[in-house]
Amino acid sequence: MPRFFALLALVFASSAAAQPGRQCATPRPTTAHMLQTADIVQRFQVARASSSESRRFGNQPTVVPVAVHVIASGPSEADGNLPTTQIEAQMDVLNAAFQPHGFRFVLASISRTINATWATGMSANSANERAMKQALSEDTARFMNVYITDAAGDLLGWATLPFSQSETSFADGVVLDRETLPGGSFAPFNEGDTGTHEVGHWLGLYHTFNEDAPAGNPCGGSGDLVSDTPVEASPASGCPVGRDTCPALPGLDPITNFMDYSDDACMVEFSAGQADRMQALTASFRPTIAAGVAPLAAPDELVFGQVFVDITVRRMVRIVNPSQTPLVISSITSSNAAFVPSEAALTVGSGESTELEVAFTPTDAIAYNTTLTLATGGTPLTVDLRGVGRFVPELEVPTPAIARALDTDQTDTATLTLTNAGLGALEYEFVGRSAGREAPSSSSVASWRVPTLKEGGRVAAARRGDGGPDAFGTTWVDSDEATGPAYAWVDISASGTAHTLADDGTVEVELPFAFPFYGTSQDRVWINANGFLTFDGNPGGESFRNLALPSADAPSIIAPYWDDLDPSSGGRVFSQDLGDGRFVVTWEDVPHYSESGDPGSFRFQVLLESTGSIVFQYAAINAGSYAASSTVGIQPSDGSAGLQVAYNAIYARNELAVRFSPRATWIRTITPSSGTIAPNGEQVVSLGLDATGLAPGAYQDLVALATNDPFRPETRVHVVLGVGNALVPPALADPAYGQTGTTARLRLDWLDAAAEYEVQVARDEAFADLVFTDVIASSQLVFAGETETGYWWRVRSVSGTETSDWSLAFPFTTGTEPGDIELEPIAFRMDAPFPNPAEDAIRVPFTLAEDGSVRANVFDAAGRLVLSAESGVTYRSGIRNTLRIDVATLPPGLYVVRLVAGSEGASRRLVVVR
């Protein structure tokens, strides 16, 4: 429906409960500037009137290239990293408003910056604004720079007036609150017209209402210095059609003008006088743009960083044509074959821009510097291309699971061997761990460029930047990720305990088990009407005011949907002990508190697990007028740690699940928690286990290992601790947690823990859709599944009539290959050593028939023993292990390597070179 026809509806809306008012921080100009600009506009109008050719603005608009800078606190959309589609929608709004008045805006570039300081609470004329603009601004003479961030308080944005800065000043530009862009949450200012309003300032317009009226005479100020906008005493709010704050003067208030403070839906026009002013001041103060910017490619340099050999990373360059004729690019070439443009030629329309993709695939570990040339028939456009190739590392974990048994209060050390079978240095970090209890503050793993799936790469990034860990080591992941939880709604509407909650009310409930939460043990919880749980009792009447997490002002909180909900107006709240180590609380179709507008309804739940894990699930999020006003996350009461999934952003949606996983405190240390492993090297990592204070029973954890191996960016090691002779579940080894692309017929493998095992495979995490279940006497079996299907598997130990807890459930996804693996009798086998020829060290792969150690002997060509190496550790049978042997002391020549395990042995040839 055309926006003008919506005005009558807005007349009634303006009389409803007060909405937040528009707030603009663009400063009022000085009297001297006002007089100067009035003279400039008058001379422009006189010159145009006397011209023999009357210019029609719509035919040949001034084209303004726009450099957009997105400032976010993290890489996800929930962190403020807005998608390109939202930015393009803002450009459409600008062009719909300005093109009839002589201006067209064309998107030239988008930069994305992760900076939590700049991304939150940005204020005008602050040191942070200055630092942001100084670091990010693009050639301000040729581009309008737009900074998208979170503005302080209720500010929506601000801009520099054309005469307040020189056209080359880095300070020039427009700042917008991200929630004002089309689709944002800052209703009723979320249709993009804050951008229109602030760009109007950037082109020289003032507010339509008096900002300098003398005391006692609100209609006596200078107004906006535009003759055809009626005098207005004060800013409008809502859409008060017919408003007249200066009845003694001609005309009603210009409440539909983009330079008033009305709601976005109410703003529909600029006046002819405003168009004159924008054209005149652009010609005077922005002469480079007014004269017409030449076609350009932005950015003029594409930096790919460090990229692994034979892996492709893609970057985008935008071709901008501000001219009045189409730009024909007859050829697009790179002087180095490692860089390949997606098009060989293209045409860009007048006043348009288009993106061109450049793919970088290094073939060697060297620096690449070259130029992309776009032939235009005149001066070619060029883009410098930079990248560095790096050899690929290859992570191997010979024993990808750990199981230990301890007595109460006993300590022990387990070891985990990491090996690097690749040609590049392997960087690793145990995520959320360090030598002590604190999470590492930074990681060099992120310095390596690994393509994400969205970039067309073969693997996902090593870790999600928004998944933690926090200072306690807690992490989160949602069901959109391959390693995330499956959505499996637990319906307790007919079986749960119903709770009657007043608006902002709280009810205390006893938990069926001791729930571990940030180092404390909780036996009761308070359920709050406003979509959260707390362990701090009734938080009081301000509980509806959701905060960003972590925050010292928030209580201990588990917040699946913290917002101003009102179960007293509808819906119900239930809780139930599920009897399997889980306790669930459900908000069933609870509406938002609302005095006007659509309150919506919200159906979601939180599951507390006895292990300390927390799961949020969303069944029906019908947000109504409140799409982006909630907090999703957790924190302890002092705010010293915590994880925020979303804050005042559109995140929760139907059939989404989120899991929070605490760090197991009984794994006291991991040493070293991060480091670099040279090619063909290994690192033995020690895990300090501590059963102090633990009750007899089974304890499990997934230790997450992030690496720069592009094919194994994240590995999770299953650690099982049995305390006090408890029957424990086995530690799962293969397929690994979250493994993808397995064959449909594959072997499930776990560490020995009992005489028999019950095994289950399902299509869902709740194991409601079972596809396989059996009790077997072996620690492995062959599962025949379907191709391209996601599964979960788990195992528990069986001893007579006693069973252990289930192991943690592991997800895996099959690929397109059916597979033909069979269980084979486990036998001793030695595979070929590598690298061969070797210079410094070799690795010898082998499989043992029984758990045990190995010895390697190296003989020269004459049969003399020249080197002997003992493994020093016990290897597990039935899986591929490797032994590293240092051969740096051997002279070049031909050798034989013999591997001995008990009474069995095998030999392989080896060549040593220098």
Side-chain angles (χ1 to χ4, degrees):
M1 177 172 66
R3 294 177 63 181
F4 213 92
F5 291 103
L7 296 183
L8 289 178
L10 287 169
V11 174
F12 300 101
S14 66
S15 63
Q19 296 277 7
R22 184 181 296 276
Q23 297 291 327
C24 167
T26 301
R28 182 73 173 173
T30 65
T31 301
H33 278 140
M34 293 173 66
L35 292 173
Q36 178 190 17
T37 60
D39 180 63
I40 290 172
V41 173
Q42 184 178 22
R43 284 189 283 110
F44 171 83
Q45 291 172 326
V46 169
R48 190 185 59 183
S50 62
S51 173
S52 59
E53 294 183 8
S54 178
R55 179 178 180 183
R56 292 179 57 84
F57 289 143
N59 290 343
Q60 293 185 346
T62 299
V63 177
V64 182
V66 181
V68 175
H69 309 282
V70 178
I71 320 298
S73 58
S76 75
E77 187 174 338
D79 297 320
N81 195 10
L82 301 186
T84 299
T85 52
Q86 204 168 357
I87 296 168
E88 291 172 338
Q90 177 66 74
M91 298 297 297
D92 291 341
V93 171
L94 293 181
N95 282 321
F98 286 97
Q99 191 155 339
H101 303 288
F103 293 91
R104 177 168 177 79
F105 297 89
V106 55
L107 182 61
S109 65
I110 301 175
S111 72
R112 299 181 183 276
T113 301
I114 308 300
N115 186 310
T117 300
W118 297 347
T120 306
M122 180 62 70
S123 56
N125 301 313
S126 64
N128 281 338
E129 182 194 14
R130 182 179 179 85
M132 174 184 71
K133 289 183 173 180
Q134 195 162 21
L136 302 179
S137 63
E138 293 287 340
D139 187 355
T140 53
R142 293 194 302 158
F143 299 98
M144 179 177 73
N145 284 256
V146 177
Y147 302 86
I148 300 174
T149 181
D150 168 63
D154 289 332
L155 284 176
L156 302 186
W158 58 90
T160 52
L161 293 160
F163 44 78
S164 64
Q165 305 284 346
S166 73
E167 71 168 358
T168 58
S169 171
F170 72 84
D172 188 59
V174 174
V175 179
L176 299 178
D177 186 283
R178 66 176 67 97
E179 300 302 341
T180 67
L181 271 69
S185 64
F186 213 140
F189 310 117
N190 58 349
E191 296 183 19
D193 279 326
T194 292
T196 308
H197 180 98
E198 301 303 341
V199 171
H201 284 313
W202 188 81
L203 292 172
L205 300 183
Y206 306 150
H207 292 137
T208 54
F209 48 85
N210 274 327
E211 294 185 289
D212 61 348
N217 184 15
C219 297
S222 57
D224 65 351
L225 301 184
V226 177
S227 60
D228 60 357
T229 56
V231 178
E232 184 179 22
S234 60
S237 178
C239 192
V241 175
R243 181 177 187 256
D244 191 359
T245 55
C246 296
L249 297 175
L252 300 176
D253 290 354
I255 60 120
T256 59
N257 193 283
F258 289 114
M259 301 312 294
D260 206 339
Y261 269 14
S262 310
D263 294 352
D264 275 14
C266 188
M267 292 177 162
V268 295
E269 62 184 339
F270 288 114
S271 72
Q274 287 175 316
D276 283 353
R277 183 176 178 84
M278 290 187 286
Q279 288 286 347
L281 298 189
T282 298
S284 293
F285 296 103
R286 304 193 192 281
T288 302
I289 287 176
V293 175
L296 57 94
D300 55 12
E301 182 181 49
L302 285 184
V303 179
F304 290 81
Q306 300 183 86
V307 179
F308 291 120
V309 168
D310 295 331
I311 286 181
T312 299
V313 169
R314 293 170 171 83
R315 293 278 189 271
M316 307 301 293
V317 61
R318 190 174 286 271
I319 314 303
V320 184
N321 179 23
S323 68
Q324 303 300 325
T325 58
L327 174 66
V328 177
I329 300 174
S330 58
S331 67
I332 304 173
T333 58
S334 163
S335 54
N336 190 302
F339 299 94
V340 179
S342 58
E343 303 289 341
L346 55 84
T347 299
V348 185
S350 172
E352 301 289 345
S353 71
T354 189
E355 282 191 315
L356 173 70
E357 180 184 88
V358 180
F360 173 47
T361 310
T363 58
D364 199 357
I366 58 174
Y368 292 80
N369 300 294
T370 190
T371 301
L372 184 73
T373 302
L374 299 91
T376 63
T379 302
L381 304 179
T382 60
V383 179
D384 292 335
L385 305 177
R386 304 282 183 266
V388 178
R390 288 288 184 263
F391 285 128
V392 178
E394 183 179 345
L395 171 69
E396 289 187 351
V397 186
T399 306
I402 295 174
R404 285 290 188 274
L406 298 178
D407 293 329
T408 300
D409 297 335
Q410 185 181 4
T411 61
D412 193 10
T413 299
T415 59
L416 185 70
T417 301
L418 311 179
T419 66
N420 178 13
L423 297 177
L426 176 71
E427 296 180 3
Y428 74 91
E429 178 188 5
F430 286 92
V431 180
R433 314 274 179 169
S434 66
R437 294 190 59 175
E438 296 300 317
S441 59
S442 64
S443 170
S444 60
V445 173
S447 68
W448 291 87
R449 190 71 182 93
V450 180
T452 64
L453 290 175
K454 289 183 179 179
E455 296 171 324
R458 289 173 282 181
V459 295
R463 336 175 236 160
R464 293 188 57 182
D466 55 354
D470 64 7
F472 199 81
T474 307
T475 58
W476 73 268
V477 65
D478 66 25
S479 52
D480 287 340
E481 297 295 307
T483 57
Y487 171 79
W489 182 259
V490 181
D491 187 357
I492 61 169
S493 58
S495 56
T497 300
H499 302 287
T500 301
L501 290 173
D503 182 32
D504 303 330
T506 301
V507 63
E508 180 182 1
V509 176
E510 185 174 346
L511 293 173
F513 45 77
F515 178 70
F517 187 70
Y518 284 102
T520 64
S521 181
Q522 305 291 341
D523 60 4
R524 61 192 60 248
V525 69
W526 281 261
I527 304 171
N528 190 278
N530 293 313
F532 67 85
L533 309 180
T534 181
F535 302 108
D536 293 341
N538 191 333
E542 294 293 300
S543 65
F544 66 91
R545 298 188 185 277
N546 66 298
L547 302 173
L549 299 178
S551 169
D553 296 326
S556 66
I557 197 165
I558 298 174
Y561 204 89
W562 184 9
D563 204 351
D564 190 6
L565 305 184
D566 185 10
S568 68
S569 297
R572 299 173 296 174
V573 178
F574 300 95
S575 67
Q576 184 175 329
D577 173 14
L578 298 180
D580 59 356
R582 295 186 299 165
F583 174 78
V584 60
V585 179
T586 299
W587 287 257
E588 185 92 16
D589 299 328
V590 174
H592 197 282
Y593 176 82
S594 179
E595 294 181 356
S596 65
D598 180 4
S601 64
F602 304 83
R603 187 186 312 158
F604 57 91
Q605 64 185 193
V606 55
L607 293 98
L608 306 184
E609 300 179 359
S610 59
T611 61
S613 292
I614 302 166
V615 176
F616 297 164
Q617 298 199 113
Y618 304 91
I621 302 299
N622 302 309
S625 302
Y626 305 92
S629 58
S630 65
T631 295
V632 178
I634 65 172
Q635 75 159 49
S637 57
D638 60 1
S640 60
L643 290 170
Q644 177 177 287
V645 178
Y647 171 65
N648 286 351
I650 298 174
Y651 173 74
R653 56 174 171 75
N654 297 356
E655 298 189 357
L656 178 73
V658 183
R659 175 182 288 279
F660 296 84
S661 300
R663 192 191 75 182
T665 55
W666 45 270
I667 302 179
R668 293 297 187 188
T669 59
I670 298 182
T671 310
S673 63
S674 62
T676 301
I677 305 174
N680 298 313
E682 69 177 25
Q683 175 66 61
V684 178
V685 177
S686 297
L687 285 73
L689 308 180
D690 187 352
T692 302
L694 297 182
Y699 299 84
Q700 303 181 67
D701 189 27
L702 282 176
V703 176
L705 174 67
T707 75
N708 64 328
D709 179 344
F711 303 105
R712 292 189 67 179
E714 182 176 294
T715 297
R716 300 194 182 192
V717 178
H718 190 192
V719 184
V720 177
L721 175 65
V723 178
N725 297 317
L727 182 63
V728 299
L732 306 188
D734 190 35
Y737 188 95
Q739 186 170 338
T740 60
T742 69
T743 57
R745 184 179 178 87
L746 73 161
R747 182 167 52 237
L748 308 181
D749 199 0
W750 55 93
L751 300 189
D752 286 328
E756 291 186 308
Y757 305 94
E758 183 177 0
V759 186
Q760 289 187 344
V761 183
R763 289 190 178 89
D764 63 314
E765 187 182 12
F767 286 82
D769 186 10
L770 278 175
V771 296
F772 176 87
T773 182
D774 198 1
V775 176
I776 64 173
S778 173
S779 61
Q780 58 178 279
L781 64 82
V782 169
F783 168 69
E786 300 176 0
T787 57
E788 299 182 276
T789 303
Y791 293 101
W792 292 78
W793 71 290
R794 63 183 182 180
V795 185
R796 64 180 175 184
S797 300
V798 179
S799 178
T801 59
E802 183 184 2
T803 58
S804 72
D805 294 336
W806 284 107
S807 70
L808 297 178
F810 275 31
F812 68 91
T813 305
T814 59
T816 58
E817 296 297 322
D820 58 357
I821 191 169
E822 299 286 350
L823 287 180
E824 299 176 358
I826 299 175
F828 174 82
R829 184 179 75 250
M830 174 187 178
D831 294 323
F834 64 93
N836 192 4
E839 294 185 17
D840 300 316
I842 62 170
R843 303 196 64 81
V844 181
F846 63 92
T847 303
L848 297 180
E850 297 179 352
D851 293 358
S853 61
V854 296
R855 182 178 75 257
N857 294 326
V858 181
F859 302 90
D860 64 13
R864 293 173 298 207
L865 178 65
V866 294
L867 190 65
S868 185
E870 294 281 350
S871 66
V873 297
T874 299
Y875 291 99
R876 182 180 164 224
S877 63
I879 65 172
R880 186 176 186 265
N881 302 287
T882 58
L883 175 66
R884 183 178 183 275
I885 304 174
D886 187 350
V887 296
T889 60
L890 298 180
L894 179 65
Y895 296 87
V896 173
V897 180
R898 181 166 180 79
L899 198 68
V900 178
S903 60
E904 297 184 282
S907 300
R908 292 276 187 165
R909 294 203 311 170
L910 170 69
V911 176
V912 175
V913 296
R914 292 289 182 269

